[in-house]
Amino acid sequence: MDAHIELILPAQTEYLYLVRLHVGAVASRIDMTLEVVEDLHLAAEELCMSLLSLSHNVPDRLAVGIAWDADAIEISCRLGGTQDHDGQSWTNEGFPELISERILDALVDEHSLDVDGHPPTAWLRKRRERPLPSA
Amino acid sequence: MAALALVKAVDGFDASLGYDFSAFATRTIIGELKHHFRDRGWAVRAPRRVQELYLEMNAAVAELTQQLGRSPTIREIAAACDRPEVDILAAIEAGHGYRAASLDARGEHGRTLLERVEGTQAATGLPGQLAELSPHLDRLSAREQSILRLRFVDELTQSEIADRLGISQMHVSRLLRSALDTLRMAYKESG
């Protein structure tokens, strides 16, 4: 990947619009179409929500990495914070993992969820349509 | 709404001023429609200029999609609207607060949008693959499950779903988001 940005956000769903805005801006830079951008918005939201819906002690922050080159975007998410989560088990209060995976299957090219990790992480990759057909 | 605006234009037209009625009526109708959608269409109120850009962008996307035969890029939409790309991204984000047309509202042929969705299905009932994933999906109506099935089981693209339903791709995006939000809420409430 040629470039990378990382957002550190409070681990709350109301900040996900910042993820959508940055994902959209990066997708625009590599000329992804509106339809792909909107799929990426849904996918990024699902990726983040799959972590934010885990609970044990509420984590302090969500780290979202967005990396890209001319051909693809990768988004990675990691829960983190000042608390030590090592050895803790998380409880999923959101979609079952199978549903999140089904949604991501339809929206992106590759993805992985590790909700049992310490910390839990999630990742996706979406390739650009190439070449863009024209009229 | 447009017909009412036309009546308003007739009432308000002053022929003695020498203006062309059709131009006056067009301006009046567009103004009334903008007011209507600004006042009634937004679940989360966005600034007026962003709301108007969102509506303008919808028209530009429809035109570009027809011209190009594919979904336009953000850069192409920005050029068509003569706005910077960042404004278009803000309008897309604001559009997430735009209330999706009621799934139960009746359209041109007396059928609701979701009846049209269901009409595209070869079989009725629960979408098998989704139903197998979780019993909580029955918290969604059969209609909501149908639109999710088209995207996440049948893996039709948003544009393909839009073509089937005779609505815009952006509208499909809003409906998908709304259905997923409903499903998430169902999980949260049941959890």
Side-chain angles (χ1 to χ4, degrees):
Chain A
M1 293 276 118
D2 295 337
H4 178 267
I5 58 174
E6 184 153 342
L7 306 172
I8 307 293
L9 307 167
Q12 295 164 24
T13 56
E14 54 261 47
Y15 291 96
L16 291 185
Y17 76 96
L18 289 170
V19 177
R20 289 193 298 268
L21 277 173
H22 283 80
V23 166
V26 168
S28 175
R29 283 187 70 87
I30 61 171
D31 272 342
M32 285 183 157
T33 64
L34 174 65
E35 180 170 13
V36 173
V37 170
E38 299 219 88
D39 272 351
L40 268 172
H41 281 161
L42 288 172
E45 198 163 282
E46 185 53 41
L47 203 70
C48 295
M49 288 297 292
S50 68
L51 297 190
L52 292 178
S53 57
L54 300 173
S55 71
H56 183 83
N57 294 321
V58 177
D60 300 288
R61 65 184 184 230
L62 178 71
V64 180
I66 306 170
W68 70 96
D69 59 23
D71 297 317
I73 286 183
E74 291 182 5
I75 304 172
S76 57
C77 300
R78 187 181 71 251
L79 281 181
T82 54
Q83 302 170 62
D84 179 8
H85 297 293
D86 284 348
Q88 294 179 344
S89 59
W90 303 82
T91 305
N92 185 359
E93 295 179 343
F95 285 163
E97 206 172 327
L98 271 176
I99 291 189
S100 291
E101 288 186 348
R102 182 70 232 156
I103 291 169
L104 290 169
D105 278 348
L107 294 172
V108 299
D109 297 301
E110 297 170 67
H111 61 87
S112 68
L113 295 176
D114 180 12
V115 297
D116 297 320
H118 297 283
T121 56
W123 170 87
L124 68 76
R125 178 181 173 87
K126 178 76 173 176
R127 281 189 291 275
R128 210 197 85 165
E129 320 97 298
R130 186 177 283 279
L132 272 184
S134 56
Chain B
M1 175 55 62
L4 285 174
L6 179 60
V7 171
K8 187 174 179 180
V10 171
D11 288 345
F13 184 65
D14 183 351
S16 67
L17 296 176
Y19 294 114
D20 176 56
F21 174 72
S22 63
F24 175 77
T26 301
R27 276 201 305 274
T28 304
I29 290 169
I30 289 174
E32 288 295 311
L33 287 174
K34 279 184 174 177
H35 279 124
H36 174 78
F37 286 114
R38 272 206 308 269
D39 294 345
R40 309 271 178 88
W42 295 87
V44 178
R45 187 157 289 278
R48 177 173 165 168
R49 65 178 179 78
V50 177
Q51 292 181 20
E52 291 189 353
L53 177 56
Y54 181 73
L55 297 175
E56 182 187 346
M57 192 186 93
N58 265 277
V61 167
E63 194 170 326
L64 286 167
T65 301
Q66 190 157 15
Q67 278 175 16
L68 301 168
R70 60 163 169 79
S71 174
T73 64
I74 305 297
R75 199 187 307 267
E76 288 165 341
I77 300 166
C81 295
D82 196 22
R83 299 291 191 98
E85 289 172 41
V86 68
D87 283 5
I88 300 301
L89 292 166
I92 292 171
E93 178 58 30
H96 293 157
Y98 191 77
R99 187 178 292 119
S102 168
L103 301 182
D104 295 317
R106 298 209 171 270
E108 291 175 23
H109 305 293
R111 290 194 304 164
T112 67
L113 177 57
L114 281 164
E115 282 166 349
R116 279 184 276 160
V117 174
E118 289 178 327
T120 67
Q121 303 301 315
T124 57
L126 293 173
Q129 196 169 354
L130 276 179
E132 288 169 11
L133 289 178
S134 169
H136 291 291
L137 278 166
D138 63 11
R139 296 281 295 273
L140 292 178
S141 70
R143 294 166 171 183
E144 287 171 314
Q145 293 178 39
S146 292
I147 199 161
L148 287 180
R149 172 174 51 190
L150 287 172
R151 183 68 187 94
F152 298 119
V153 177
D154 298 345
E155 295 200 12
L156 268 61
T157 65
Q158 292 189 17
S159 292
E160 288 168 339
I161 297 170
D163 286 346
R164 281 200 185 192
L165 302 183
I167 60 178
S168 72
Q169 171 264 311
M170 294 178 75
H171 195 164
V172 171
S173 176
R174 290 198 301 271
L175 290 171
L176 283 171
R177 177 176 300 278
S178 169
L180 287 174
D181 285 348
T182 302
L183 189 56
R184 281 202 187 93
M185 187 60 70
Y187 273 91
K188 190 174 179 183
E189 286 172 1
S190 68

